[in-house]
Amino acid sequence: MAHLEQLTTSVRTVDAVVSRMRALAATLPARDGVAVFNRVYLTVTEEVERGLGTGYFTDRRSAVALDVRFAHRYLAAVDAATDGRRAPACWRPLFQLRRHPGVRPLQFALAGINAHIGHDLALAVVDACRTLDCEPDDLEDEFDRVGDLLVALEERVREDLMPGPDLLQIADPLTHLLGSWSLERARDATWSAARALWALRRCGDLAEEFSERLDAVVGLAGRLLLTPLPD
């Protein structure tokens, strides 16, 4: 399980995260699958930044620690793919299929959300606990508030990127795919995974194995979400 010190992307504040994602957006074609997810995640991070200024988070220091370490995981995966290195399994489907003409923008967005919530967020909780010298339960309020922002955004993403009712019939394969994944359920599973990883942190190989299995399972879900569909 990679610790924060091993991650490649140097961003230490939420403002730096926003700047890095805006710079990334400027370099990618709009239809690129990573660009689609990056726009979604940038919107979330901008919401977090606003929330930090309005008192939305009850513990500002913990919220910043969690958000920055969360972003590190995504940006480090992007750096790995850009440099030709092996990205985590949860991100590989998006990087491999990012230009596939049969994958729709909504699929790219949800596959990125799946990787980031299902895998990265659990490890970010552990990273933040190490940095703050606290337990996962001490971060639960901030975890829930970030999760609430993501759930609200997912609803908006589905509305914005879903084909209109004249184009999307009940039998459309995209309808089936969208019904097979839930951010709410993914968030609940992530909290359980974070607590398990924290409990296993001194168990060496067992902790590493758990992290690798989590990465692989989330990657499999991402691969399914990115199933190419007919026009």
Side-chain angles (χ1 to χ4, degrees):
M1 180 171 60
H3 297 312
L4 182 64
E5 296 79 18
Q6 296 171 287
L7 298 177
T8 60
T9 308
S10 295
V11 288
R12 299 183 180 276
T13 66
V14 176
D15 181 63
V17 171
V18 169
S19 296
R20 175 70 203 282
M21 283 193 283
R22 286 176 178 163
L24 179 60
T27 68
L28 297 174
R31 183 61 176 75
D32 181 283
V34 175
V36 173
F37 170 72
N38 192 74
R39 287 194 295 272
V40 171
Y41 190 28
L42 175 57
T43 301
V44 172
T45 309
E46 289 170 340
E47 289 287 342
V48 170
E49 189 174 38
R50 279 190 286 271
L52 290 169
T54 61
Y56 174 76
F57 295 99
T58 56
D59 184 339
R60 191 180 191 280
R61 179 169 177 258
S62 295
V64 170
L66 180 59
D67 187 74
V68 169
R69 283 147 187 80
F70 190 26
H72 262 290
R73 295 283 169 180
Y74 160 61
L75 294 173
V78 172
D79 287 347
T82 301
D83 296 342
R85 292 179 284 111
R86 192 171 178 81
C90 61
W91 286 106
R92 281 177 223 151
L94 180 60
F95 294 141
Q96 291 167 357
L97 296 171
R98 61 194 293 178
R99 297 181 183 87
H100 197 297
V103 180
R104 304 181 193 183
L106 181 55
Q107 292 175 262
F108 288 134
L110 293 184
I113 293 171
N114 168 71
H116 205 37
I117 297 296
H119 174 264
D120 292 357
L121 185 53
L123 273 64
V125 169
V126 175
D127 290 338
C129 285
R130 291 181 185 277
T131 298
L132 298 171
D133 191 22
C134 69
E135 298 289 320
D137 288 350
D138 297 323
L139 298 179
E140 188 169 9
D141 284 347
E142 278 56 56
F143 178 95
D144 287 341
R145 288 175 186 273
V146 170
D148 289 343
L149 290 177
L150 288 162
V151 169
L153 181 68
E154 186 211 14
E155 294 172 357
R156 198 159 74 219
V157 166
R158 287 178 185 256
E159 290 174 1
D160 291 347
L161 297 181
M162 178 79 81
D166 55 327
L167 299 175
L168 186 64
Q169 303 300 320
I170 191 65
D172 191 298
L174 183 58
T175 305
H176 174 74
L177 276 180
L178 297 183
S180 67
W181 187 84
S182 161
L183 191 149
E184 290 264 23
R185 291 195 296 271
R187 187 176 77 170
D188 290 344
T190 292
W191 182 245
S192 296
R195 294 180 66 204
L197 282 167
W198 184 249
L200 294 170
R201 68 190 183 281
R202 297 187 180 93
C203 295
D205 290 347
L206 185 58
E208 192 70 30
E209 181 179 347
F210 185 96
S211 178
E212 289 175 359
R213 295 291 181 269
L214 177 66
D215 191 18
V217 168
V218 173
L220 175 60
R223 177 72 63 180
L224 295 173
L225 283 169
L226 292 172
T227 301
L229 303 174
D231 293 332

